[in-house]
Amino acid sequence: MNAIQMILVVLVAFLAGMEGILDQWEFHQPLVACTLIGLVTGHLDLGIILGGYLQMIALGWANIGAAVAPDAALASVASAIILVQSGQGTKGIGMATGIAMPLAVAGLFLTMIVRTISTGIAHIMDADAKKGNWRKINMWQWVAVCLQGLRIAIPAALLLAIPASTVRYWLGLMPAWLSDGMSLGGAMVVAVGYAMVINMMASREVWPFFAIGFALAAIKDLTLIALGAIGLALAVMYLALESKGGNGSKSSDNEGTGDPLGDIIDDY
Amino acid sequence: MADQKIKLSKADRFNVMWHSQFLQASWNYERMQNGGFAYSLIPALRKLYPKKDDMSAALERHLVFFNVHPYLVSPILGVTLALEEDKANGAEVQDEAIQGVKVGMMGPLAGVGDPVFWYTVRPILGALGASMAIQGNLLGPILFFVLWNVIRIAFMWYTQEFGYKAGSAITNDVSGGLLQKVTRGASMMGMFVLGSLIERWVNIQFTPIVSKTPLQKGAYIDWNSIPAGAKGIQQALIDQSNGLSLTKFKVTTLQNNLDTLIPGLAGLLLTFLCMWLLKKKVSPIVIIIAIFIVGVLLHVLHII
């Protein structure tokens, strides 16, 4: 890796760190972050594939309220750098996904530190507001977001400082049963993200949709887009039938119309 | 007050929307998105309050506790812009009224953003992109990135404009029918897609062999009676495509047996186990690391 590539990697890391908190452009999502690291290091294919696997694991990770999800930004950036440095190619992807998980936890603590520092910044902003100094508030807002960027950029720079040969030596110590097992674990870990999402969304009303989706997915000819279309159509139909049916009670709470289909049949 | 009314132009409002992307930048444990909310409004406040005292009062007014989903802030910003514009033009708008509107919209809107964006749109686009990326297809990440940001920016701009035009009237509508319908519809579609994703992507293959039964003659390819050379290869391939087995035995793994029940059952059960553990307040990180350890152990024991 030459100097320009290293600078670009740190820049990507900085961007991912900012986005991990802003949650707007989604540069911190593995699919984007790993691809960018792959792009700037000249291992685009490797980055895309690792991004795909990590994205599957991270699907359900979301910042909700005050809680921060496991840090996808640090996990993607650092594991992509390690994968590129290891020189193992696609064979190293299972290893890289395994390494990404503890990194996601480490990133969580770094975020907490930065958010605690930001509490101090909030007080500085108060003082500036009293003086009506909006320029200073703008500036502190930028300082805060740059701190979040550094939270990923600094670890990335430290990782780059380790020579590739050292990384290779360490990873060479890892026996095959361990890295193969980690690949298999990675395929199962996906379930945790889904479980988090289901726990948030599930209600009595939506479980049938889950069952239909699960059963239909076994038909391998249906692509994800086709499945999405079926899901959307079912939801639209359900809501449309519900507002037509019912005994004139258009209450919007979940228990309102117990059986919309039955009501329609009754009308005939 | 001055006779000339100060109006916020479309460019001013767009500027506010653009700034609001930094809503969470100074997120802190004390007042959460307070700095971000004030920061988002600054382009408008500068125009509305040229006097330093007014500006300072406005900044202080918006540096109070605030927390909502980062995209659902847009309708709130829209309403706040409408109120601040009235106030700057001399209408009797109490500070309490502005705070009341902000707090009143915060709760219901935060509850809409999570299921719609984090639990439906992002998992669907993410899974779509990831399934292409795993095959090394660059379109995967590009599709995810472009679609996500088009949806996001369009949503933020139009809901902010909606809030600005509706003004404080919107607060009555927030808890009303439409929003709830959208949220419920999103949950339904989201659950449907989750069901299919679990079937497709939670991969557990049990390798232990359950049975190894010899096949009848004629049900497998008899390698001894096949002609030599290319002709033999042709014959063997024809036989195989006719459904003949390659070996004398029918090998059934545990996975084959499970698949006859319903494909993907093991993944489904693992997901239910994770849901149960999460409800028991086990940290997701602990579960993730435990699954990796179990994966390695089962592999060493030749179970998966």
Side-chain angles (χ1 to χ4, degrees), chain A residues 18-61:
Chain A
M18 282 168 49
E19 270 299 314
I21 285 304
L22 295 179
D23 245 331
Q24 302 276 346
W25 292 90
E26 304 296 286
F27 284 115
H28 66 296
Q29 291 291 304
L31 206 47
V32 184
C34 293
T35 303
L36 287 177
I37 297 272
L39 181 72
V40 297
T41 54
H43 293 80
L44 184 58
D45 286 356
L46 219 50
I48 296 173
I49 298 172
L50 177 65
Y53 279 104
L54 286 181
Q55 187 70 45
M56 281 292 177
I57 298 176
L59 277 185
W61 296 0

mmCIF file of all heavy atoms in Angstrom, chain A residues 18-61:
data_model
loop_
_atom_site.group_PDB
_atom_site.id
_atom_site.type_symbol
_atom_site.label_atom_id
_atom_site.label_comp_id
_atom_site.label_asym_id
_atom_site.label_seq_id
_atom_site.Cartn_x
_atom_site.Cartn_y
_atom_site.Cartn_z
ATOM 1 N N MET A 18 -18.055 9.612 10.875
ATOM 2 C CA MET A 18 -19.050 10.686 10.947
ATOM 3 C C MET A 18 -20.446 10.118 10.718
ATOM 4 O O MET A 18 -21.388 10.417 11.434
ATOM 5 C CB MET A 18 -18.746 11.753 9.886
ATOM 6 C CG MET A 18 -17.623 12.680 10.271
ATOM 7 S SD MET A 18 -17.023 13.714 8.898
ATOM 8 C CE MET A 18 -18.502 14.388 8.220
ATOM 9 N N GLU A 19 -20.571 9.293 9.691
ATOM 10 C CA GLU A 19 -21.875 8.766 9.307
ATOM 11 C C GLU A 19 -22.439 7.796 10.342
ATOM 12 O O GLU A 19 -23.644 7.652 10.464
ATOM 13 C CB GLU A 19 -21.772 8.077 7.950
ATOM 14 C CG GLU A 19 -22.025 9.021 6.814
ATOM 15 C CD GLU A 19 -23.421 9.605 6.881
ATOM 16 O OE1 GLU A 19 -24.364 8.847 7.099
ATOM 17 O OE2 GLU A 19 -23.559 10.822 6.735
ATOM 18 N N GLY A 20 -21.530 7.124 11.070
ATOM 19 C CA GLY A 20 -21.993 6.185 12.087
ATOM 20 C C GLY A 20 -22.909 6.860 13.088
ATOM 21 O O GLY A 20 -23.779 6.225 13.684
ATOM 22 N N ILE A 21 -22.739 8.168 13.280
ATOM 23 C CA ILE A 21 -23.583 8.905 14.206
ATOM 24 C C ILE A 21 -24.654 9.685 13.462
ATOM 25 O O ILE A 21 -25.805 9.734 13.868
ATOM 26 C CB ILE A 21 -22.706 9.831 15.083
ATOM 27 C CG1 ILE A 21 -21.984 9.007 16.128
ATOM 28 C CG2 ILE A 21 -23.522 10.928 15.730
ATOM 29 C CD1 ILE A 21 -22.901 8.159 17.003
ATOM 30 N N LEU A 22 -24.293 10.268 12.327
ATOM 31 C CA LEU A 22 -25.265 11.084 11.598
ATOM 32 C C LEU A 22 -26.370 10.215 10.988
ATOM 33 O O LEU A 22 -27.513 10.638 10.907
ATOM 34 C CB LEU A 22 -24.579 11.872 10.479
ATOM 35 C CG LEU A 22 -23.572 12.929 10.928
ATOM 36 C CD1 LEU A 22 -22.961 13.612 9.722
ATOM 37 C CD2 LEU A 22 -24.228 13.966 11.839
ATOM 38 N N ASP A 23 -26.007 9.006 10.517
ATOM 39 C CA ASP A 23 -27.001 8.084 9.950
ATOM 40 C C ASP A 23 -27.755 8.698 8.787
ATOM 41 O O ASP A 23 -28.979 8.600 8.710
ATOM 42 C CB ASP A 23 -28.013 7.662 11.028
ATOM 43 C CG ASP A 23 -27.876 6.173 11.305
ATOM 44 O OD1 ASP A 23 -27.484 5.445 10.399
ATOM 45 O OD2 ASP A 23 -28.163 5.750 12.441
ATOM 46 N N GLN A 24 -27.042 9.346 7.877
ATOM 47 C CA GLN A 24 -27.731 9.951 6.737
ATOM 48 C C GLN A 24 -27.338 9.282 5.426
ATOM 49 O O GLN A 24 -28.133 8.585 4.831
ATOM 50 C CB GLN A 24 -27.425 11.454 6.662
ATOM 51 C CG GLN A 24 -27.813 12.224 7.911
ATOM 52 C CD GLN A 24 -29.263 12.627 7.930
ATOM 53 O OE1 GLN A 24 -29.951 12.568 6.917
ATOM 54 N NE2 GLN A 24 -29.755 13.034 9.073
ATOM 55 N N TRP A 25 -26.076 9.487 5.010
ATOM 56 C CA TRP A 25 -25.655 8.954 3.711
ATOM 57 C C TRP A 25 -25.337 7.472 3.785
ATOM 58 O O TRP A 25 -25.164 6.826 2.776
ATOM 59 C CB TRP A 25 -24.453 9.737 3.190
ATOM 60 C CG TRP A 25 -24.826 11.125 2.844
ATOM 61 C CD1 TRP A 25 -24.805 12.208 3.671
ATOM 62 C CD2 TRP A 25 -25.319 11.592 1.596
ATOM 63 N NE1 TRP A 25 -25.253 13.315 3.002
ATOM 64 C CE2 TRP A 25 -25.574 12.967 1.727
ATOM 65 C CE3 TRP A 25 -25.570 10.970 0.362
ATOM 66 C CZ2 TRP A 25 -26.073 13.735 0.686
ATOM 67 C CZ3 TRP A 25 -26.049 11.739 -0.676
ATOM 68 C CH2 TRP A 25 -26.299 13.113 -0.509
ATOM 69 N N GLU A 26 -25.189 6.939 4.987
ATOM 70 C CA GLU A 26 -24.936 5.504 5.190
ATOM 71 C C GLU A 26 -23.554 5.067 4.684
ATOM 72 O O GLU A 26 -23.392 3.955 4.222
ATOM 73 C CB GLU A 26 -26.034 4.643 4.544
ATOM 74 C CG GLU A 26 -27.423 4.990 5.030
ATOM 75 C CD GLU A 26 -27.667 4.726 6.506
ATOM 76 O OE1 GLU A 26 -27.796 3.563 6.886
ATOM 77 O OE2 GLU A 26 -27.716 5.689 7.292
ATOM 78 N N PHE A 27 -22.548 5.932 4.829
ATOM 79 C CA PHE A 27 -21.183 5.528 4.500
ATOM 80 C C PHE A 27 -20.648 4.514 5.505
ATOM 81 O O PHE A 27 -19.632 3.887 5.271
ATOM 82 C CB PHE A 27 -20.237 6.733 4.493
ATOM 83 C CG PHE A 27 -20.384 7.595 3.286
ATOM 84 C CD1 PHE A 27 -20.840 8.890 3.399
ATOM 85 C CD2 PHE A 27 -20.071 7.099 2.038
ATOM 86 C CE1 PHE A 27 -20.982 9.684 2.276
ATOM 87 C CE2 PHE A 27 -20.211 7.891 0.913
ATOM 88 C CZ PHE A 27 -20.670 9.187 1.034
ATOM 89 N N HIS A 28 -21.310 4.403 6.646
ATOM 90 C CA HIS A 28 -20.815 3.499 7.673
ATOM 91 C C HIS A 28 -21.368 2.099 7.508
ATOM 92 O O HIS A 28 -20.955 1.184 8.184
ATOM 93 C CB HIS A 28 -21.185 4.022 9.059
ATOM 94 C CG HIS A 28 -22.665 4.021 9.309
ATOM 95 N ND1 HIS A 28 -23.525 4.801 8.581
ATOM 96 C CD2 HIS A 28 -23.428 3.330 10.167
ATOM 97 C CE1 HIS A 28 -24.749 4.591 8.996
ATOM 98 N NE2 HIS A 28 -24.731 3.695 9.962
ATOM 99 N N GLN A 29 -22.353 1.920 6.629
ATOM 100 C CA GLN A 29 -22.883 0.576 6.425
ATOM 101 C C GLN A 29 -21.814 -0.271 5.738
ATOM 102 O O GLN A 29 -21.155 0.198 4.814
ATOM 103 C CB GLN A 29 -24.151 0.640 5.576
ATOM 104 C CG GLN A 29 -25.319 1.275 6.295
ATOM 105 C CD GLN A 29 -25.854 0.414 7.423
ATOM 106 O OE1 GLN A 29 -26.219 -0.729 7.232
ATOM 107 N NE2 GLN A 29 -25.881 0.959 8.626
ATOM 108 N N PRO A 30 -21.655 -1.538 6.173
ATOM 109 C CA PRO A 30 -20.574 -2.373 5.639
ATOM 110 C C PRO A 30 -20.548 -2.405 4.118
ATOM 111 O O PRO A 30 -19.487 -2.331 3.506
ATOM 112 C CB PRO A 30 -20.896 -3.755 6.202
ATOM 113 C CG PRO A 30 -21.718 -3.520 7.402
ATOM 114 C CD PRO A 30 -22.431 -2.222 7.211
ATOM 115 N N LEU A 31 -21.734 -2.482 3.521
ATOM 116 C CA LEU A 31 -21.826 -2.570 2.068
ATOM 117 C C LEU A 31 -21.093 -1.401 1.413
ATOM 118 O O LEU A 31 -20.416 -1.564 0.394
ATOM 119 C CB LEU A 31 -23.320 -2.540 1.688
ATOM 120 C CG LEU A 31 -23.774 -3.175 0.392
ATOM 121 C CD1 LEU A 31 -23.197 -4.541 0.192
ATOM 122 C CD2 LEU A 31 -25.290 -3.223 0.361
ATOM 123 N N VAL A 32 -21.213 -0.218 1.987
ATOM 124 C CA VAL A 32 -20.581 0.965 1.406
ATOM 125 C C VAL A 32 -19.141 1.093 1.903
ATOM 126 O O VAL A 32 -18.212 1.280 1.109
ATOM 127 C CB VAL A 32 -21.385 2.242 1.753
ATOM 128 C CG1 VAL A 32 -20.777 3.453 1.077
ATOM 129 C CG2 VAL A 32 -22.841 2.083 1.342
ATOM 130 N N ALA A 33 -18.929 0.972 3.212
ATOM 131 C CA ALA A 33 -17.598 1.204 3.783
ATOM 132 C C ALA A 33 -16.573 0.202 3.253
ATOM 133 O O ALA A 33 -15.483 0.590 2.821
ATOM 134 C CB ALA A 33 -17.666 1.142 5.313
ATOM 135 N N CYS A 34 -16.906 -1.086 3.266
ATOM 136 C CA CYS A 34 -15.954 -2.103 2.801
ATOM 137 C C CYS A 34 -15.667 -1.926 1.315
ATOM 138 O O CYS A 34 -14.526 -2.071 0.875
ATOM 139 C CB CYS A 34 -16.497 -3.513 3.036
ATOM 140 S SG CYS A 34 -16.636 -3.938 4.754
ATOM 141 N N THR A 35 -16.705 -1.605 0.532
ATOM 142 C CA THR A 35 -16.499 -1.400 -0.900
ATOM 143 C C THR A 35 -15.534 -0.248 -1.134
ATOM 144 O O THR A 35 -14.629 -0.336 -1.959
ATOM 145 C CB THR A 35 -17.847 -1.115 -1.589
ATOM 146 O OG1 THR A 35 -18.731 -2.200 -1.317
ATOM 147 C CG2 THR A 35 -17.683 -0.978 -3.084
ATOM 148 N N LEU A 36 -15.707 0.852 -0.374
ATOM 149 C CA LEU A 36 -14.822 2.002 -0.550
ATOM 150 C C LEU A 36 -13.387 1.665 -0.159
ATOM 151 O O LEU A 36 -12.446 2.040 -0.849
ATOM 152 C CB LEU A 36 -15.332 3.194 0.276
ATOM 153 C CG LEU A 36 -16.583 3.882 -0.276
ATOM 154 C CD1 LEU A 36 -17.025 4.997 0.652
ATOM 155 C CD2 LEU A 36 -16.318 4.441 -1.667
ATOM 156 N N ILE A 37 -13.218 0.933 0.953
ATOM 157 C CA ILE A 37 -11.861 0.540 1.355
ATOM 158 C C ILE A 37 -11.255 -0.346 0.271
ATOM 159 O O ILE A 37 -10.089 -0.184 -0.115
ATOM 160 C CB ILE A 37 -11.879 -0.233 2.696
ATOM 161 C CG1 ILE A 37 -12.407 0.655 3.824
ATOM 162 C CG2 ILE A 37 -10.503 -0.778 3.032
ATOM 163 C CD1 ILE A 37 -11.394 1.479 4.529
ATOM 164 N N GLY A 38 -12.059 -1.272 -0.267
ATOM 165 C CA GLY A 38 -11.588 -2.124 -1.350
ATOM 166 C C GLY A 38 -11.181 -1.295 -2.560
ATOM 167 O O GLY A 38 -10.146 -1.540 -3.180
ATOM 168 N N LEU A 39 -11.994 -0.298 -2.871
ATOM 169 C CA LEU A 39 -11.736 0.551 -4.039
ATOM 170 C C LEU A 39 -10.404 1.281 -3.907
ATOM 171 O O LEU A 39 -9.580 1.254 -4.819
ATOM 172 C CB LEU A 39 -12.881 1.559 -4.183
ATOM 173 C CG LEU A 39 -12.805 2.520 -5.370
ATOM 174 C CD1 LEU A 39 -13.087 1.772 -6.660
ATOM 175 C CD2 LEU A 39 -13.805 3.652 -5.202
ATOM 176 N N VAL A 40 -10.159 1.914 -2.757
ATOM 177 C CA VAL A 40 -8.953 2.735 -2.639
ATOM 178 C C VAL A 40 -7.698 1.891 -2.456
ATOM 179 O O VAL A 40 -6.593 2.367 -2.706
ATOM 180 C CB VAL A 40 -9.061 3.783 -1.499
ATOM 181 C CG1 VAL A 40 -10.183 4.757 -1.786
ATOM 182 C CG2 VAL A 40 -9.230 3.143 -0.147
ATOM 183 N N THR A 41 -7.848 0.628 -2.022
ATOM 184 C CA THR A 41 -6.659 -0.203 -1.860
ATOM 185 C C THR A 41 -6.421 -1.085 -3.079
ATOM 186 O O THR A 41 -5.485 -1.869 -3.104
ATOM 187 C CB THR A 41 -6.779 -1.117 -0.633
ATOM 188 O OG1 THR A 41 -7.987 -1.868 -0.745
ATOM 189 C CG2 THR A 41 -6.793 -0.341 0.648
ATOM 190 N N GLY A 42 -7.307 -1.001 -4.085
ATOM 191 C CA GLY A 42 -7.123 -1.800 -5.282
ATOM 192 C C GLY A 42 -7.598 -3.233 -5.125
ATOM 193 O O GLY A 42 -7.214 -4.107 -5.884
ATOM 194 N N HIS A 43 -8.429 -3.506 -4.124
ATOM 195 C CA HIS A 43 -9.011 -4.835 -3.959
ATOM 196 C C HIS A 43 -10.532 -4.720 -3.957
ATOM 197 O O HIS A 43 -11.201 -5.166 -3.029
ATOM 198 C CB HIS A 43 -8.554 -5.502 -2.653
ATOM 199 C CG HIS A 43 -7.104 -5.830 -2.632
ATOM 200 N ND1 HIS A 43 -6.142 -4.899 -2.359
ATOM 201 C CD2 HIS A 43 -6.446 -6.983 -2.864
ATOM 202 C CE1 HIS A 43 -4.954 -5.466 -2.407
ATOM 203 N NE2 HIS A 43 -5.105 -6.729 -2.720
ATOM 204 N N LEU A 44 -11.050 -4.126 -5.018
ATOM 205 C CA LEU A 44 -12.477 -3.803 -5.060
ATOM 206 C C LEU A 44 -13.354 -5.041 -4.832
ATOM 207 O O LEU A 44 -14.271 -5.015 -4.004
ATOM 208 C CB LEU A 44 -12.811 -3.153 -6.402
ATOM 209 C CG LEU A 44 -14.254 -2.667 -6.575
ATOM 210 C CD1 LEU A 44 -14.622 -1.665 -5.505
ATOM 211 C CD2 LEU A 44 -14.463 -2.059 -7.948
ATOM 212 N N ASP A 45 -13.041 -6.136 -5.536
ATOM 213 C CA ASP A 45 -13.870 -7.347 -5.421
ATOM 214 C C ASP A 45 -13.963 -7.818 -3.980
ATOM 215 O O ASP A 45 -15.041 -8.127 -3.469
ATOM 216 C CB ASP A 45 -13.266 -8.488 -6.251
ATOM 217 C CG ASP A 45 -13.493 -8.249 -7.724
ATOM 218 O OD1 ASP A 45 -14.175 -7.249 -8.030
ATOM 219 O OD2 ASP A 45 -13.001 -9.045 -8.534
ATOM 220 N N LEU A 46 -12.785 -7.849 -3.341
ATOM 221 C CA LEU A 46 -12.706 -8.324 -1.969
ATOM 222 C C LEU A 46 -13.578 -7.455 -1.051
ATOM 223 O O LEU A 46 -14.322 -7.956 -0.214
ATOM 224 C CB LEU A 46 -11.246 -8.234 -1.532
ATOM 225 C CG LEU A 46 -10.695 -9.343 -0.679
ATOM 226 C CD1 LEU A 46 -11.020 -10.678 -1.296
ATOM 227 C CD2 LEU A 46 -9.186 -9.177 -0.542
ATOM 228 N N GLY A 47 -13.489 -6.138 -1.249
ATOM 229 C CA GLY A 47 -14.270 -5.210 -0.432
ATOM 230 C C GLY A 47 -15.757 -5.419 -0.606
ATOM 231 O O GLY A 47 -16.516 -5.435 0.362
ATOM 232 N N ILE A 48 -16.178 -5.601 -1.864
ATOM 233 C CA ILE A 48 -17.613 -5.773 -2.139
ATOM 234 C C ILE A 48 -18.130 -7.034 -1.435
ATOM 235 O O ILE A 48 -19.169 -7.017 -0.774
ATOM 236 C CB ILE A 48 -17.870 -5.887 -3.656
ATOM 237 C CG1 ILE A 48 -17.485 -4.585 -4.348
ATOM 238 C CG2 ILE A 48 -19.325 -6.207 -3.928
ATOM 239 C CD1 ILE A 48 -17.542 -4.671 -5.860
ATOM 240 N N ILE A 49 -17.367 -8.147 -1.578
ATOM 241 C CA ILE A 49 -17.853 -9.413 -1.026
ATOM 242 C C ILE A 49 -17.890 -9.352 0.507
ATOM 243 O O ILE A 49 -18.888 -9.727 1.125
ATOM 244 C CB ILE A 49 -16.974 -10.584 -1.508
ATOM 245 C CG1 ILE A 49 -17.070 -10.683 -3.038
ATOM 246 C CG2 ILE A 49 -17.406 -11.889 -0.868
ATOM 247 C CD1 ILE A 49 -16.116 -11.657 -3.660
ATOM 248 N N LEU A 50 -16.821 -8.839 1.114
ATOM 249 C CA LEU A 50 -16.818 -8.712 2.576
ATOM 250 C C LEU A 50 -17.975 -7.816 3.023
ATOM 251 O O LEU A 50 -18.680 -8.119 3.984
ATOM 252 C CB LEU A 50 -15.485 -8.128 3.066
ATOM 253 C CG LEU A 50 -15.403 -7.878 4.569
ATOM 254 C CD1 LEU A 50 -15.465 -9.186 5.337
ATOM 255 C CD2 LEU A 50 -14.146 -7.111 4.941
ATOM 256 N N GLY A 51 -18.179 -6.718 2.299
ATOM 257 C CA GLY A 51 -19.279 -5.808 2.610
ATOM 258 C C GLY A 51 -20.612 -6.526 2.584
ATOM 259 O O GLY A 51 -21.454 -6.324 3.451
ATOM 260 N N GLY A 52 -20.794 -7.388 1.587
ATOM 261 C CA GLY A 52 -22.042 -8.139 1.485
ATOM 262 C C GLY A 52 -22.265 -9.024 2.697
ATOM 263 O O GLY A 52 -23.347 -9.022 3.290
ATOM 264 N N TYR A 53 -21.229 -9.761 3.095
ATOM 265 C CA TYR A 53 -21.377 -10.660 4.245
ATOM 266 C C TYR A 53 -21.623 -9.878 5.539
ATOM 267 O O TYR A 53 -22.499 -10.222 6.337
ATOM 268 C CB TYR A 53 -20.134 -11.545 4.405
ATOM 269 C CG TYR A 53 -20.150 -12.739 3.479
ATOM 270 C CD1 TYR A 53 -19.358 -12.772 2.341
ATOM 271 C CD2 TYR A 53 -20.993 -13.815 3.730
ATOM 272 C CE1 TYR A 53 -19.387 -13.855 1.474
ATOM 273 C CE2 TYR A 53 -21.037 -14.895 2.875
ATOM 274 C CZ TYR A 53 -20.232 -14.920 1.751
ATOM 275 O OH TYR A 53 -20.289 -15.977 0.900
ATOM 276 N N LEU A 54 -20.860 -8.802 5.744
ATOM 277 C CA LEU A 54 -21.051 -8.024 6.975
ATOM 278 C C LEU A 54 -22.406 -7.330 6.992
ATOM 279 O O LEU A 54 -23.048 -7.210 8.032
ATOM 280 C CB LEU A 54 -19.936 -6.988 7.126
ATOM 281 C CG LEU A 54 -18.569 -7.519 7.542
ATOM 282 C CD1 LEU A 54 -17.586 -6.368 7.669
ATOM 283 C CD2 LEU A 54 -18.648 -8.258 8.874
ATOM 284 N N GLN A 55 -22.867 -6.891 5.815
ATOM 285 C CA GLN A 55 -24.163 -6.220 5.749
ATOM 286 C C GLN A 55 -25.275 -7.157 6.212
ATOM 287 O O GLN A 55 -26.181 -6.752 6.934
ATOM 288 C CB GLN A 55 -24.441 -5.754 4.320
ATOM 289 C CG GLN A 55 -25.686 -4.903 4.176
ATOM 290 C CD GLN A 55 -25.507 -3.535 4.810
ATOM 291 O OE1 GLN A 55 -24.480 -2.893 4.629
ATOM 292 N NE2 GLN A 55 -26.482 -3.092 5.564
ATOM 293 N N MET A 56 -25.178 -8.421 5.807
ATOM 294 C CA MET A 56 -26.172 -9.403 6.226
ATOM 295 C C MET A 56 -26.224 -9.498 7.753
ATOM 296 O O MET A 56 -27.295 -9.617 8.344
ATOM 297 C CB MET A 56 -25.813 -10.775 5.658
ATOM 298 C CG MET A 56 -26.187 -10.925 4.218
ATOM 299 S SD MET A 56 -27.974 -10.932 4.046
ATOM 300 C CE MET A 56 -28.132 -11.017 2.278
ATOM 301 N N ILE A 57 -25.039 -9.462 8.376
ATOM 302 C CA ILE A 57 -24.998 -9.552 9.840
ATOM 303 C C ILE A 57 -25.553 -8.280 10.458
ATOM 304 O O ILE A 57 -26.243 -8.319 11.469
ATOM 305 C CB ILE A 57 -23.551 -9.797 10.311
ATOM 306 C CG1 ILE A 57 -23.042 -11.127 9.763
ATOM 307 C CG2 ILE A 57 -23.450 -9.748 11.828
ATOM 308 C CD1 ILE A 57 -21.596 -11.413 10.089
ATOM 309 N N ALA A 58 -25.260 -7.139 9.841
ATOM 310 C CA ALA A 58 -25.559 -5.849 10.468
ATOM 311 C C ALA A 58 -26.950 -5.324 10.107
ATOM 312 O O ALA A 58 -27.288 -4.214 10.501
ATOM 313 C CB ALA A 58 -24.494 -4.829 10.065
ATOM 314 N N LEU A 59 -27.765 -6.108 9.417
ATOM 315 C CA LEU A 59 -29.059 -5.595 8.940
ATOM 316 C C LEU A 59 -29.912 -5.004 10.054
ATOM 317 O O LEU A 59 -30.598 -4.018 9.862
ATOM 318 C CB LEU A 59 -29.851 -6.724 8.264
ATOM 319 C CG LEU A 59 -29.515 -7.019 6.815
ATOM 320 C CD1 LEU A 59 -30.464 -8.055 6.281
ATOM 321 C CD2 LEU A 59 -29.584 -5.759 5.988
ATOM 322 N N GLY A 60 -29.887 -5.624 11.216
ATOM 323 C CA GLY A 60 -30.781 -5.166 12.279
ATOM 324 C C GLY A 60 -30.140 -4.194 13.256
ATOM 325 O O GLY A 60 -30.750 -3.827 14.245
ATOM 326 N N TRP A 61 -28.897 -3.800 12.982
ATOM 327 C CA TRP A 61 -28.231 -2.883 13.907
ATOM 328 C C TRP A 61 -28.704 -1.467 13.637
ATOM 329 O O TRP A 61 -28.494 -0.922 12.573
ATOM 330 C CB TRP A 61 -26.709 -2.935 13.721
ATOM 331 C CG TRP A 61 -26.106 -4.256 14.057
ATOM 332 C CD1 TRP A 61 -26.760 -5.367 14.497
ATOM 333 C CD2 TRP A 61 -24.722 -4.617 13.968
ATOM 334 N NE1 TRP A 61 -25.865 -6.384 14.684
ATOM 335 C CE2 TRP A 61 -24.621 -5.959 14.371
ATOM 336 C CE3 TRP A 61 -23.562 -3.927 13.586
ATOM 337 C CZ2 TRP A 61 -23.408 -6.633 14.407
ATOM 338 C CZ3 TRP A 61 -22.364 -4.596 13.614
ATOM 339 C CH2 TRP A 61 -22.279 -5.930 14.024
#
